[in-house]
Amino acid sequence: EVERGMETEKKGMFDWYFKSNLLIRILIGLVLGAIVGLVAGNSILWVRPLGDIFIRLLKMIVTPIILTTLVVGSASISPAELGKVGVKIVIYYLFTSAVAVAVGLVMGNIFRPGLGLDLGSIGEAAGKALEKPSLANTFLNIIPTNPFASLSGGDVLQIIFFAILFGLGISYLKISKDSRIREAGELLFKIFDGSAEAMYKIVGWVLQYAPIGVFALISVVFAQQGAKAIGPLWGVTLACFLGYILHLIVIYGGALSLYKLSFSTFLKGSKEAMITAFVTRSSGGTLPITMRNADENLGIAKNVYSFTLPLGATVNMDGTAIYQGVCALFIGFAVGLPLNFSQQLTVILTAVLASIGTAGVPGAGAIMLLLVLDSIGLPIEQGSPVAAAYAMILGIDAILDMGRTCLNVTGDLVGSAIVAKTENLLDLSKWGK
């Protein structure tokens, strides 16, 4: 009894840490790290190993996260369900995601956040041997010659390509008329689904360490860079939010007007879902409200939104895509290795392909950014300038996440409304017609 009581007491000792909001703790880690780094200077450099632990943990989860989540994501889309509605919504999601990354890259190229930060002085420059492949090679290198070598070598685009094909293969097995093949498909799906769930747990544990890792990495940055490290973070935030607003008005507003649907009516009907997404920072958590808005306010038929909205919460990540574009350019500028055209095209490809599976992961945007950086030859290594720049982004991730989740959910509703209109499954009386 005494031992049990002591164990309970020990468990409760850190409740103040584990039961408080993770994103607030990461933000506190960023602020404290900046203050301590500025005040203590080089005397705080002993905390560097605490940051290195965080980087190693992140590197540990990247490959299994890509494989498991993408296999499950693509295996979940039954070929039988991919009728006209399915094909239309998938094309819409992939196209708008690609445009969104491009919007992020445009914002990043205009604002050039991180330019002049000179993080290259921190440790060895991770990207000093950065390869700049040609456009043809960028496409050719997506196809792996040996998937197992790609997995062990961490070749992100090749892993993504193989995982999507493998997942689609499983989806066909699951609908086979042969019971043996169907059962094998279901078993494979359960194995990968269980593995993905296990990885979500591990990601959650790694993120619990994130505030400490961010504190250590940021304190080293500010100890060596001083107050000039603050400005670029404002630049990243401004570039992201202007990108979100531009995408909302130009792309979504333009798409709705193309199908003769009022943008202002849409905003009025979907504002509840948009505000909920902004506050909760969860597309999945907002889904019941998104569905209610689609039904009651926008007049989208249930047999359309019951397929398009859950799929969108998994694969449509326009806000996250804009964030990828801005942050990839920020990190390139910050470490003194600006991205060329081929690398920026690779950012678009990786962000769009990775969006199929990573949406369900806690801290999805930050995990996706790891994949994007790996694909353009800027892997996060301990003690590297890339790791320091990534930690800076992670520190303001909560703020950026609010805007990107709001845009993600808005994009799901826009796509659902357009597809419903093309299929004559939209109640136009809800749109004042």
Side-chain angles (χ1 to χ4, degrees):
E1 282 293 321
V2 173
E3 281 180 20
R4 203 172 293 169
M6 284 175 67
E7 194 178 321
T8 307
E9 193 180 323
K10 281 180 183 174
K11 280 184 182 175
M13 276 174 63
F14 296 101
D15 278 0
W16 60 271
Y17 181 83
F18 290 110
K19 291 187 178 178
S20 58
N21 186 288
L22 173 64
L23 293 168
I24 290 172
R25 276 184 278 139
I26 292 176
L27 191 58
I28 290 169
L30 171 79
V31 174
L32 282 180
I35 293 168
V36 170
L38 286 170
V39 173
N42 288 339
S43 64
I44 196 66
L45 295 183
W46 62 269
V47 301
R48 195 195 295 265
L50 296 176
D52 291 344
I53 289 170
F54 181 49
I55 298 306
R56 291 184 75 93
L57 288 169
L58 287 172
K59 286 171 71 70
M60 176 185 77
I61 62 179
V62 170
T63 299
I65 275 286
I66 305 172
L67 183 67
T68 57
T69 58
L70 281 176
V71 167
V72 171
S74 47
S76 299
I77 305 169
S78 170
E81 288 179 334
L82 279 178
K84 280 202 294 180
V85 169
V87 170
K88 284 177 182 178
I89 199 67
V90 167
I91 290 170
Y92 163 85
Y93 285 157
L94 293 178
F95 175 73
T96 57
S97 292
V99 171
V101 195
V103 169
L105 291 170
V106 168
M107 289 294 106
N109 280 305
I110 290 170
F111 285 91
R112 298 181 164 236
L115 192 64
L117 189 56
D118 191 28
L119 290 180
S121 61
I122 299 174
E124 289 288 309
K128 62 184 178 184
L130 192 61
E131 290 179 21
K132 298 194 175 181
S134 69
L135 209 56
N137 283 340
T138 298
F139 284 104
L140 200 59
N141 288 337
I142 295 173
I143 304 167
T145 53
N146 181 348
F148 296 102
S150 303
L151 284 166
S152 64
D155 294 320
V156 176
L157 278 175
Q158 295 183 6
I159 297 168
I160 289 171
F161 182 85
F162 174 75
I164 291 171
L165 282 185
F166 194 77
L168 288 172
I170 292 173
S171 73
Y172 274 96
L173 295 185
K174 283 163 61 188
I175 59 165
S176 173
K177 290 177 181 175
D178 186 322
S179 61
R180 182 187 66 82
I181 294 173
R182 190 169 60 251
E183 283 169 17
E186 291 289 350
L187 178 62
L188 265 177
F189 181 78
K190 284 177 182 174
I191 289 168
F192 277 93
D193 193 29
S195 301
E197 290 297 330
M199 284 311 303
Y200 297 156
K201 290 286 183 193
I202 294 170
V203 169
W205 297 339
V206 170
L207 290 178
Q208 290 297 333
Y209 182 74
I212 298 164
V214 166
F215 168 81
L217 290 163
I218 293 299
S219 60
V220 170
V221 169
F222 277 82
Q224 297 185 333
Q225 294 290 313
K228 69 176 180 178
I230 297 169
L233 290 181
W234 288 115
V236 169
T237 307
L238 185 64
C240 279
F241 274 87
L242 280 177
Y244 301 154
I245 293 164
L246 186 71
H247 196 77
L248 174 69
I249 296 169
V250 177
I251 306 302
Y252 295 157
L256 287 166
S257 63
L258 198 65
Y259 289 90
K260 297 180 170 58
L261 295 172
S262 165
F263 185 47
S264 59
T265 305
F266 169 81
L267 291 176
K268 190 179 174 185
S270 58
K271 66 182 178 187
E272 190 187 5
M274 291 171 71
I275 292 166
T276 306
F278 189 85
V279 173
T280 62
R281 302 185 291 269
S282 169
S283 300
T286 309
L287 196 55
I289 292 158
T290 314
M291 286 181 157
R292 191 171 81 235
N293 283 178
D295 189 5
E296 296 174 8
N297 301 347
L298 301 175
I300 300 167
K302 187 176 181 180
N303 59 334
V304 173
Y305 75 71
S306 63
F307 174 76
T308 59
L309 291 179
L311 182 67
T314 308
V315 307
N316 187 41
M317 301 173 74
D318 292 0
T320 309
I322 289 169
Y323 158 90
Q324 306 298 328
V326 172
C327 293
L329 280 172
F330 162 76
I331 290 170
F333 284 127
V335 302
L337 292 162
L339 308 186
N340 65 9
F341 180 73
S342 287
Q343 290 163 317
Q344 292 191 30
L345 188 71
T346 304
V347 170
I348 295 174
L349 279 170
T350 311
V352 171
L353 292 172
S355 69
I356 293 169
T358 46
V361 182
I367 299 297
M368 275 181 71
L369 186 55
L370 284 175
L371 317 188
V372 169
L373 292 172
D374 271 358
S375 73
I376 54 173
L378 288 173
I380 291 185
E381 305 285 354
Q382 60 192 65
S384 72
V386 179
Y390 180 80
M392 291 175 76
I393 292 295
L394 204 59
I396 56 166
D397 192 61
I399 299 161
L400 304 179
D401 196 18
M402 295 168 89
R404 69 178 185 243
T405 307
C406 176
L407 195 69
N408 291 346
V409 168
T410 308
D412 299 345
L413 281 168
V414 170
S416 301
I418 289 171
V419 169
K421 174 84 187 289
T422 63
E423 294 291 317
N424 294 316
L425 293 168
L426 188 69
D427 181 359
L428 294 174
S429 67
K430 303 277 188 184
W431 298 77
K433 294 185 181 183

